[in-house]
Amino acid sequence: MSISESGIRIACGAKQQEIKGKWKKRHMVSRQSGISRKCQYQCSVCSKDSKTQRSRQTMSYSVALPTISPIKCTTQLPLIPAKSRVVKFPELCKDGVLFTQLQVREIAKSQSRPCRLGLEEEDEYCSRMEFGSAFLADSYDRCRRICAEIPADDGGAQESNMGDLRRTDELVDGPNAKHTTADVLDRWEERLEDIFSGRPFDMLDAALAHTLQKFPLDIKPFRDMIEGMRMDTRKFRYLNFEELYLYCYCVAGTVGLMSVPVMGMGAHSLASLQRIYNAALNLGIANQLTNILRDVGEDAERGRVYLPQEELAQFGLCDDDVLSRKVVSADERWKEFMKAQIRRARFYFNEAEEGASQLDKASRWPVWSSLMLYRQILDEIENNGFDNLTRRAYVSRGKKLLMLPLAYTRSATANISN
Ligand SMILES: CC(C)=CCC/C(C)=C/CC/C(C)=C/CC/C(C)=C/COP(=O)(O)OP(=O)(O)O
């Protein structure tokens, strides 16, 4: 997978796939989308688009090449025998492969710069930007109302971040999602660049522009977030966990990365900055994986399957089983498949724990609470007998309330380590 310096735009289409056939030696085909029934492929040699048909266990390709007439060939999807159903995943982020590609190290470094605005420069900044402090207070207040559920004690900075993200998310998840085209997202990205260059467009932008003066936020996670929205408009299937991980990074891991400088590190934290950033990324990934597992049925209704296609096949399942929602939780294949997916999400939550305890005191409890609360959704999926196709797992108010003091205890007993 290759990732461009400016972002990850080429990553989603860069999965190289060698197609069997007589032209194999000359042509490599790169996957452009994860749509399983009709995929667009583009030849990396001649750049011509082609259509691909894919059925349950067999993929058949019909590729139009400039010199050779369309060729059909078949590739068997490897089916792992029932006894050796082992889904591999955690090493993806443990050995740092993706961290390097996602430039987490660089982001951590750039977000450790001293901030531009001290308290005394605040008035000067407001007059330079031609908005008074009352205007800014109103801007932050609006952000706060957009994301009323986010607890923080940072003068609204986290809300201005979240307000921006919520608006970005609404573009693809909100009532006007069907009007969100590639052009709309391009304009949204231009607007983001403007905010980072100190040219906010509206009141909510103004709050983020101000936050950028107070916290050394890097633009990359914000850009990558928009890239995640692009994926959501054009990609409805994920071939394997690597592809899904990239999506989770874009739509949720980025949130973790941009939260760290605002939340701040504990005064006595000895953990390396890198480990804290890794933990923040892992929490975003864990949350998103949980979200996906909770919403399998709802997503299927919208024609979306966020479960890795190759892993479904490994358990003898396929896309249609999910879309038709016919596979029932009593089905052993589904149960085993879900167990493996839940195990993976828990792995990422566990990896995030240590970092959560290294945050500044004010952020520790809210982060621990959200971690434990979201992780409980996984327990609820289990309690529902793994039926996430016709039921939506939720954590009752009582359980949430019981969890809060537990989260407090965990957050208070911070583990100091290098
Ligand atoms: C652990 C350390 C060091 C820091 C914490 C860093 C943080 C705050 C990480 C969390 C990142 C986060 C909040 C990601 C978003 C996760 C997510 C799946 C949100 C769901 O959003 P919606 O799509 O609106 O959910 P609903 O579908 O429930 O509406």
Side-chain angles (χ1 to χ4, degrees), residues 157-338:
Q158 188 67 345
E159 281 95 335
S160 79
N161 263 357
M162 294 298 167
D164 182 74
L165 303 181
R166 174 58 70 194
R167 287 193 297 162
T168 309
D169 187 50
E170 282 292 293
L171 289 176
V172 286
D173 259 359
N176 290 320
K178 58 176 180 296
H179 303 297
T180 303
T181 59
D183 284 350
V184 170
L185 290 168
D186 285 349
R187 280 207 299 281
W188 196 249
E189 188 165 350
E190 280 165 24
R191 197 160 145 180
L192 177 74
E193 307 279 345
D194 281 346
I195 300 172
F196 271 78
S197 322
R199 293 192 305 271
F201 177 73
D202 67 10
M203 273 185 98
L204 299 169
D205 291 359
L208 181 56
H210 180 249
T211 292
L212 294 175
Q213 298 296 314
K214 296 182 76 169
F215 299 94
L217 290 159
D218 193 294
I219 193 170
K220 187 174 184 295
F222 289 84
R223 277 198 197 121
D224 291 349
M225 174 98 190
I226 297 177
E227 193 56 39
M229 302 303 142
R230 283 198 185 95
M231 280 183 182
D232 249 335
T233 61
R234 66 174 179 226
K235 190 169 164 75
F236 308 110
R237 297 293 182 280
Y238 292 83
L239 185 67
N240 50 34
F241 183 60
E242 213 174 317
E243 284 190 14
L244 185 66
Y245 182 94
L246 199 62
Y247 170 73
C248 292
Y249 157 73
C250 286
V251 299
T254 49
V255 187
L257 298 185
M258 59 181 85
S259 299
V260 174
V262 177
M263 293 181 160
M265 277 168 70
H268 304 293
S269 171
L270 293 176
S272 74
L273 198 61
Q274 185 63 43
R275 287 181 70 168
I276 296 192
Y277 271 90
N278 291 353
L281 172 61
N282 284 327
L283 185 52
I285 302 285
N287 283 347
Q288 189 60 32
L289 288 175
T290 303
N291 202 275
I292 286 170
L293 297 181
R294 184 195 60 189
D295 297 342
V296 175
E298 271 174 45
D299 289 333
E301 264 179 17
R302 300 190 299 143
R304 288 164 187 260
V305 179
Y306 290 97
L307 303 166
Q309 297 286 317
E310 284 180 355
E311 291 176 11
L312 278 169
Q314 281 175 22
F315 285 81
L317 296 159
C318 72
D319 211 32
D320 283 343
D321 292 326
V322 183
L323 285 178
S324 64
R325 302 203 278 164
K326 276 200 194 112
V327 63
V328 280
S329 49
D331 188 315
E332 274 309 305
R333 296 170 306 165
W334 185 255
K335 231 163 137 174
E336 292 307 312
F337 174 70
M338 282 314 301

